[in-house]
Amino acid sequence: MEEELIRMIFEENAIRFGHFVLTSGKESSYYIDIKKLITNPKALKLIAELMKKKAEALKIDFDKVAGPELGAVPIATALALKTEKPLLIVRKKKKEHGTGKQIEGEIREGDRVLLVEDVTTTGGSVLRAAEILEEKGAKIAAISVVVDREEGAEERIRRKYRFIPLVTVGELFRYSEKFRTRD
């Protein structure tokens, strides 16, 4: 199933080459656009299935699924539907109107949360989301990500949480090389 996901990443042109500035502020010669991939219902369904299977295989017990806005929200939604677990959406900052919430969905002290993310580079964004959830009493069961760029996120995240990447950028590049040698 992981190879099917990798194939879809290339088929949907969700990896592009050029000059890009990432959320982390780092510059990169490639960009992984999982948002482009997750607009494909088949790819989104596959991602949710893979995350569910990996969590089950690792015996990760969780009560709720959470995703930081924006890219992780469709992933978290698909996984919540697949697992029939309630959904939490973590805003980057508190709403300045209405209830002023930073987390959408009901969170209770002790809730075990599987936090999902689209792509990790340094892990800063998903770690901020984990901190926000913990401030409200949640326990992070694990952090699952579609693609880890292998630029420090795994090391930072593993200091405190279980980390479950579906694929790594190394696997994407190996597939790309294998694919090119077939032509």
Side-chain angles (χ1 to χ4, degrees), residues 158-171:
R158 283 194 192 273
R159 287 182 199 147
K160 193 168 180 184
Y161 309 109
R162 293 183 79 178
F163 182 61
I164 312 165
L166 299 184
V167 297
T168 64
V169 76
E171 291 169 316

Side-chain angles (χ1 to χ4, degrees), residues 133-148:
L133 288 162
E134 287 178 327
E135 286 171 3
K136 295 293 183 187
K139 306 279 186 231
I140 305 301
I143 293 175
S144 184
V145 60
V146 180
V147 179
D148 178 30

Side-chain angles (χ1 to χ4, degrees), residues 62-66 85-86 88 106-108 111-114:
F62 59 98
D63 307 305
K64 296 186 177 169
V65 176
K85 306 275 183 171
L88 301 169
E106 191 175 329
I107 188 162
R108 293 189 187 112
D111 278 345
R112 294 163 299 171
V113 176
L114 178 57

Side-chain angles (χ1 to χ4, degrees), residues 28-143:
S28 179
S29 60
Y30 66 94
Y31 181 70
I32 300 169
D33 188 359
I34 296 300
K35 290 167 198 70
K36 186 170 181 14
L37 181 68
I38 61 177
T39 59
N40 175 332
K42 288 181 183 173
L44 188 56
K45 185 177 181 180
L46 177 63
I47 289 166
E49 183 66 32
L50 279 168
M51 285 185 169
K52 179 179 185 267
K53 283 186 184 228
K54 286 200 175 214
E56 287 171 349
L58 294 168
K59 298 185 180 355
I60 294 169
D61 196 20
F62 59 98
D63 307 305
K64 296 186 177 169
V65 176
E69 66 171 332
L70 172 76
V73 172
I75 298 164
T77 303
L79 185 56
L81 289 167
K82 188 78 182 163
T83 60
E84 297 186 355
K85 306 275 183 171
L87 173 67
L88 301 169
I89 299 170
V90 183
R91 295 178 181 277
K92 290 177 181 149
K93 52 187 171 182
K94 287 184 179 182
K95 282 174 43 174
E96 295 190 16
H97 58 282
T99 59
K101 290 186 198 175
Q102 192 161 9
I103 299 171
E104 296 298 335
E106 191 175 329
I107 188 162
R108 293 189 187 112
E109 185 77 29
D111 278 345
R112 294 163 299 171
V113 176
L114 178 57
L115 180 57
V116 303
E117 181 63 291
D118 56 356
V119 178
T120 51
T121 303
T122 64
S125 297
V126 76
L127 286 169
R128 278 189 296 283
E131 193 175 287
I132 291 163
L133 288 162
E134 287 178 327
E135 286 171 3
K136 295 293 183 187
K139 306 279 186 231
I140 305 301
I143 293 175

